Coordinates of all heavy atoms in Angstrom, one line a residue:
Chain C
P234 N 3.1 94.3 -43.8 CA 4.2 93.4 -44.3 C 4.8 93.9 -45.6 O 6.0 93.7 -45.8 CB 3.4 92.1 -44.5 CG 2.0 92.3 -44.4 CD 1.8 93.6 -43.6
V235 N 4.0 94.5 -46.4 CA 4.6 95.0 -47.7 C 5.6 96.1 -47.4 O 6.7 96.1 -48.0 CB 3.5 95.6 -48.6 CG1 4.1 96.1 -49.9 CG2 2.5 94.5 -48.9
L236 N 5.3 97.0 -46.5 CA 6.3 98.0 -46.2 C 7.6 97.4 -45.6 O 8.7 97.8 -45.9 CB 5.7 99.0 -45.1 CG 4.7 100.0 -45.7 CD1 4.1 100.9 -44.7 CD2 5.3 100.8 -46.9
I237 N 7.4 96.4 -44.7 CA 8.5 95.8 -44.1 C 9.4 95.2 -45.2 O 10.7 95.4 -45.2 CB 8.1 94.7 -43.1 CG1 7.5 95.4 -41.9 CG2 9.3 93.9 -42.7 CD1 6.8 94.5 -40.9
I238 N 8.8 94.4 -46.1 CA 9.6 93.8 -47.2 C 10.3 94.8 -48.0 O 11.4 94.6 -48.4 CB 8.7 92.8 -48.0 CG1 9.6 91.8 -48.7 CG2 7.9 93.5 -49.0 CD1 8.9 90.7 -49.4
L239 N 9.6 95.9 -48.3 CA 10.2 96.9 -49.2 C 11.4 97.6 -48.5 O 12.4 97.8 -49.1 CB 9.1 98.0 -49.5 CG 8.0 97.5 -50.4 CD1 7.0 98.7 -50.6 CD2 8.6 97.0 -51.7
L240 N 11.2 97.8 -47.2 CA 12.3 98.4 -46.4 C 13.5 97.5 -46.3 O 14.7 97.9 -46.5 CB 11.8 98.8 -45.0 CG 11.0 100.1 -45.0 CD1 10.4 100.3 -43.7 CD2 11.8 101.3 -45.5
T241 N 13.2 96.2 -46.0 CA 14.4 95.3 -45.8 C 15.0 94.9 -47.1 O 16.3 94.8 -47.1 CB 13.9 94.0 -45.1 OG1 12.9 93.5 -45.8 CG2 13.5 94.3 -43.7
K242 N 14.3 94.8 -48.1 CA 14.9 94.2 -49.4 C 15.3 95.3 -50.4 O 16.3 95.2 -51.0 CB 13.8 93.3 -50.0 CG 14.4 92.3 -51.0 CD 15.3 91.2 -50.3 CE 16.0 90.4 -51.3 NZ 16.9 89.4 -50.8
Y243 N 14.4 96.3 -50.6 CA 14.7 97.2 -51.7 C 15.0 98.6 -51.2 O 15.0 99.5 -52.0 CB 13.5 97.2 -52.6 CG 13.1 95.9 -53.2 CD1 12.2 95.1 -52.6 CD2 13.8 95.5 -54.3 CE1 11.9 93.9 -53.2 CE2 13.5 94.2 -54.9 CZ 12.6 93.4 -54.3 OH 12.3 92.2 -54.8
G244 N 15.1 98.7 -49.9 CA 15.4 100.1 -49.3 C 14.3 101.1 -49.7 O 14.5 102.3 -49.7
G245 N 13.1 100.6 -49.9 CA 12.0 101.5 -50.2 C 11.8 101.9 -51.6 O 10.8 102.6 -51.9
I246 N 12.7 101.5 -52.5 CA 12.5 102.0 -53.9 C 11.9 100.8 -54.7 O 12.5 99.7 -54.8 CB 13.9 102.4 -54.5 CG1 14.5 103.5 -53.6 CG2 13.7 102.9 -55.9 CD1 16.0 103.5 -53.8
V247 N 10.7 101.0 -55.3 CA 10.1 100.0 -56.0 C 9.1 100.5 -57.0 O 8.6 101.6 -56.9 CB 9.3 99.1 -55.0 CG1 8.1 99.7 -54.5 CG2 9.0 97.7 -55.5
K248 N 9.0 99.7 -58.1 CA 8.0 100.1 -59.2 C 6.6 99.7 -58.8 O 6.4 98.7 -58.1 CB 8.4 99.5 -60.5 CG 9.7 100.0 -61.1 CD 10.0 99.3 -62.4 CE 11.4 99.7 -62.9 NZ 12.2 98.6 -63.3
P249 N 5.6 100.5 -59.3 CA 4.2 100.2 -58.9 C 3.8 98.8 -59.2 O 3.1 98.1 -58.4 CB 3.4 101.2 -59.7 CG 4.3 102.3 -60.0 CD 5.7 101.7 -60.1
Q250 N 4.2 98.2 -60.4 CA 3.7 96.9 -60.7 C 4.3 95.8 -59.8 O 3.7 94.8 -59.5 CB 4.0 96.5 -62.2 CG 5.4 96.5 -62.6 CD 5.8 97.9 -63.3 OE1 5.5 98.9 -62.7 NE2 6.4 97.8 -64.4

Side-chain angles (χ1 to χ4, degrees):
Chain C
V235 179
L236 284 181
I237 291 171
I238 198 170
L239 290 179
L240 284 171
T241 53
K242 197 74 187 176
Y243 300 97
I246 304 155
V247 74
K248 290 179 186 136
Q250 62 264 49

